[in-house]
Amino acid sequence: MNKVAFLKNKNRNDSIPIGASVIIDELKRNGIAVDICDYKTAFEYKLVLVSMTATEDIFDLYGNMHRAGWERRTFTAMVGGFGCQNPWGLEAFVDYAWFGRADGLITEAVNLLLTGKDLTTCVNFACVSRLSEPRRVQLRQVSELYGEHLS
């Protein structure tokens, strides 16, 4: 089984959102291969990262995840991004929601998830909630922009 993929939402344009590009770049720089998947090929991975760039993305995500049978998934799914403000409607399809910036911390999170750890029990992840067990979170901010060049 492949390990990590970023979901490509086909209902949008063909570009990868800038935040997703930063996450992919950081993971690759830290030795974690990241593929791009669609709703059906997501089942070939252990962890699927999902980008919400706008709050209305929840409608496309919900419909496409439902049609692809994500409620029967065996992989871990985590949603995040600028539009991740009220992701609770995706509870049947997504395990975790990340609130705020992920760069600088995503590699640690991915490594923990790949070993079966629950991020909500780790002190560094006050910005993460399980969708099945909502909790107060802290919106994670950083003091500077991502410092690496994206190709």
Side-chain angles (χ1 to χ4, degrees), residues 59-80:
F59 298 110
D60 282 338
L61 291 170
Y62 183 93
N64 286 313
M65 289 172 174
H66 178 67
R67 278 187 288 284
W70 277 39
E71 63 274 12
R72 296 179 306 278
R73 75 194 178 287
T74 55
F75 58 88
T76 300
M78 182 163 58
V79 66

Side-chain angles (χ1 to χ4, degrees), residues 96 111-119 121-122 130:
Y96 293 97
N111 283 326
L112 288 168
L113 289 171
L114 290 175
T115 58
K117 300 283 192 279
D118 179 356
L119 293 184
T121 65
C122 303
R130 271 192 163 282

Side-chain angles (χ1 to χ4, degrees), residues 12 51-62 79-90 99:
R12 285 182 206 260
S51 179
M52 289 180 74
T53 60
T55 55
E56 63 268 13
D57 286 353
I58 195 166
F59 298 110
D60 282 338
L61 291 170
Y62 183 93
V79 66
F82 187 77
C84 186
Q85 297 174 27
N86 189 8
W88 312 113
L90 298 175
F99 297 90

Side-chain angles (χ1 to χ4, degrees), residues 6-149:
F6 223 105
L7 176 70
K8 176 72 168 142
N9 187 345
K10 296 289 186 189
N11 286 350
R12 285 182 206 260
N13 59 31
D14 288 331
S15 66
I16 300 290
I18 186 67
S21 296
V22 167
I23 298 309
I24 291 168
D25 185 69
E26 181 173 322
L27 290 171
K28 287 182 177 179
R29 288 177 188 274
N30 287 300
I32 298 174
V34 181
D35 294 336
I36 303 298
C37 70
D38 61 32
Y39 292 97
K40 293 199 185 290
T41 61
F43 289 86
E44 300 170 12
Y45 295 89
K46 188 169 184 176
L47 173 63
V48 175
L49 305 174
V50 180
S51 179
M52 289 180 74
T53 60
T55 55
E56 63 268 13
D57 286 353
I58 195 166
F59 298 110
D60 282 338
L61 291 170
Y62 183 93
N64 286 313
M65 289 172 174
H66 178 67
R67 278 187 288 284
W70 277 39
E71 63 274 12
R72 296 179 306 278
R73 75 194 178 287
T74 55
F75 58 88
T76 300
M78 182 163 58
V79 66
F82 187 77
C84 186
Q85 297 174 27
N86 189 8
W88 312 113
L90 298 175
E91 178 186 343
F93 314 112
V94 175
D95 302 290
Y96 293 97
W98 186 296
F99 297 90
R101 295 277 297 272
D103 50 309
L105 197 54
I106 191 64
T107 301
E108 181 183 352
V110 165
N111 283 326
L112 288 168
L113 289 171
L114 290 175
T115 58
K117 300 283 192 279
D118 179 356
L119 293 184
T120 61
T121 65
C122 303
V123 71
N124 285 348
F125 298 101
C127 58
V128 175
S129 180
R130 271 192 163 282
L131 291 188
S132 61
E133 300 169 11
R135 68 178 187 152
R136 285 183 191 255
V137 295
Q138 294 176 1
L139 182 64
R140 183 168 184 269
Q141 297 294 317
V142 293
S143 59
E144 56 190 34
L145 294 175
Y146 186 63
E148 302 295 337
H149 175 73

